[in-house]
Amino acid sequence: MLRVAVVGSGPSGVYTAQSLVQQNEVPGVRVDVLDRLPCPYGLVRYGVAPDHEKIKSLQGALRTVLEHDRIGFVGNVEVGGPELPPSRLLELYHAVVYCVGAAKDRRLGVPGEDLAGSHSATEFVSWYSAHPDAAPDSFALGARSAVVIGAGNVAVDVTRILARGADELVPTDMPQSALGALALSQVRDVYMVARRGPSQGKFTTKELRELGSLPDADVVVDAAELALDPAFGDPSGLPAVNRRNVEALRNWAVQPPRGGARRIHLRFFLRPVELLGAAGRVTGVRFEHTLPDGLGGVTGTGTYEEIEAQLVLRSVGYRGVPMPGLPFDPAHGTVPNAAGRVLRDGAPSPGEYVAGWIKRGPTGVIGTNRPCAKETVTSLLADAALLGQRQVAGEPLDVLRQSGLRPVEWPGWLAIEDAEVALGRSLGRRSVKIADWPGLLTAAGIPEERPSAATHP
């Protein structure tokens, strides 16, 4: 019997486990899906906006996989820490597949980026998604104006949450602390700013159009700014998504405001050059106006504009972070690999594999992880005869407990779910996420306080 550990319970990890138990070449494969958190589903739980119920429903499909009789969920186990380095994990399993994502936000690299009130969009998402590592009081929601820097779906998400009324979020599973803070928010203007043009936005049309469906927010677009994009006048040559995006923006540019309590300003051709501040806090962002360079990029014009903001969220991409004990390519933010096989000094490392963002970089959507996982599993199965000859420990979870780790297995996760339903009922809401480590572990039946924060999601 081949025993495989999959590190990471997000979509890439779950799809990897699913591919392993569904294949017919190597019968009887058993898979343990390990996660640093006591809760499964990765970014589907901690990255999808709470008001996106349809996408969050993907948890049901992931749940079905994790309930397979040859798959076990093992949460609250940090791989790469002193108790469980990768070398030790290889003593417990014939093969290990790392699906640990890309955990670090890219920085702007401009002066003032570390001022109070300046955050990555991921920090904000983690806060309203109840990630237990999120700082509970780190956002200046007393701000009057907020700037979101970026033109992808995450930028649209955080813009929408800032502009949405808190009463509209009551039916979601947003933690009570975040819901209460948003109810007190004084933000009235949200600027989503991109350095390139409307035809180059990375957001999907569905996400973009949602901004126009908020009941108490106006979308403000400057037609003259849009017209700087060469494709704006005739978007027929653009890919379908980009063409629809341009059409949505054109419609907003000619619509009169409805008089909503909040305004969403969609700005283009502005490159951040400095975050401005006073008394250690951000007060605005200085942008340079840009123009298309004819090569798909932009060039600076030497003219500048300042936008007032007491809250700045940057959403300009992600990077993988190294895991102690694994090789790492800092230039690409990935683990060096060939078709999913981890490479050490250019040669495949027996029994070590990667899938997901840590394999290919932070590209694609949730569904992109399926073929990525399948390629890695194909490589692993091709190596299975050799891998199965290696002796491994009898019961990995017993060894983990003897090492001082406190795994949360599937019944523990179900207990967390029950506790969140009970919490929601006590607040007159539906299920409400538990947002702290002690609360999660207590609900899972592990009452001791977690000794230290971990660094690898």
Side-chain angles (χ1 to χ4, degrees), residues 59-373:
Q59 289 187 16
L62 302 181
R63 180 192 196 96
T64 299
V65 175
L66 292 175
E67 289 179 334
H68 192 283
D69 59 4
R70 286 190 281 122
I71 296 176
F73 172 70
V74 186
N76 196 41
V77 170
E78 182 187 0
V79 178
E83 298 92 350
L84 192 59
S87 58
R88 179 58 170 150
L89 199 57
L90 266 183
E91 297 172 2
L92 308 181
Y93 295 91
H94 295 103
V96 181
V97 186
Y98 293 92
C99 306
V100 292
K104 186 177 181 180
D105 292 271
R106 292 183 181 273
R107 292 176 61 83
L108 298 172
V110 301
E113 190 168 4
D114 294 318
L115 286 166
S118 167
H119 305 272
S120 71
T122 298
E123 291 175 304
F124 188 60
V125 171
S126 294
W127 173 73
Y128 68 60
S129 297
H131 196 293
D133 289 342
D137 300 307
S138 58
F139 296 96
L141 293 178
R144 302 177 305 279
S145 177
V147 167
V148 179
I149 300 172
N153 280 344
V154 174
V156 175
D157 277 349
V158 298
T159 297
R160 189 182 65 256
I161 293 296
L162 284 169
R164 188 184 281 284
D167 56 337
E168 302 166 51
L169 296 167
V170 170
T172 74
D173 60 3
M174 178 179 283
Q176 190 70 14
S177 56
L179 184 65
L182 288 169
L184 298 174
S185 171
Q186 300 300 307
V187 172
R188 292 296 176 264
D189 289 279
V190 185
Y191 296 82
M192 193 178 89
V193 185
R195 64 184 178 88
R196 297 194 293 177
S199 70
Q200 297 168 308
K202 299 297 184 182
F203 35 72
T204 59
T205 308
K206 179 179 181 297
E207 289 261 3
L208 181 65
R209 286 176 176 164
E210 280 186 286
L211 297 178
S213 67
L214 301 182
D216 203 22
D218 290 331
V219 178
V220 181
V221 184
D222 184 348
E225 194 167 81
L226 299 179
L228 296 174
D229 191 326
F232 181 72
D234 179 13
S236 59
L238 294 173
V241 171
N242 304 76
R243 184 174 66 251
R244 290 192 294 266
N245 289 344
V246 169
E247 291 168 353
L249 291 163
R250 177 185 283 115
N251 290 337
W252 282 328
V254 298
Q255 288 178 359
R258 297 174 298 172
R262 298 178 179 86
R263 292 165 296 278
I264 299 171
H265 307 262
L266 301 182
R267 300 293 309 274
F268 297 92
F269 294 114
L270 292 174
R271 177 166 57 199
V273 295
E274 182 181 4
L275 271 61
L276 309 173
R281 294 201 63 86
V282 67
T283 59
V285 185
R286 190 171 192 239
F287 292 95
E288 181 181 18
H289 286 267
T290 62
L291 287 173
D293 63 5
L295 302 173
V298 293
T299 184
T301 65
T303 60
Y304 299 87
E305 176 181 344
E306 294 180 4
I307 298 178
E308 176 189 351
Q310 298 79 40
L311 175 63
V312 176
L313 302 175
R314 64 182 182 274
S315 180
V316 292
Y318 303 92
R319 286 184 58 81
V321 296
M323 176 182 287
L326 279 184
F328 188 71
D329 178 358
H332 297 94
T334 58
V335 170
N337 71 93
R341 293 182 177 92
V342 171
L343 301 178
R344 292 183 181 271
D345 298 322
S349 176
E352 294 186 308
Y353 303 84
V354 286
W357 279 3
I358 200 64
K359 169 188 174 183
R360 66 181 191 272
T363 61
V365 295
I366 290 175
T368 311
N369 290 295
R370 281 192 181 276
C372 176

Side-chain angles (χ1 to χ4, degrees), residues 14-25:
V14 175
Y15 294 152
T16 297
Q18 183 179 40
S19 294
L20 283 164
V21 298
Q22 286 182 341
Q23 53 78 34
N24 298 315
E25 297 94 318

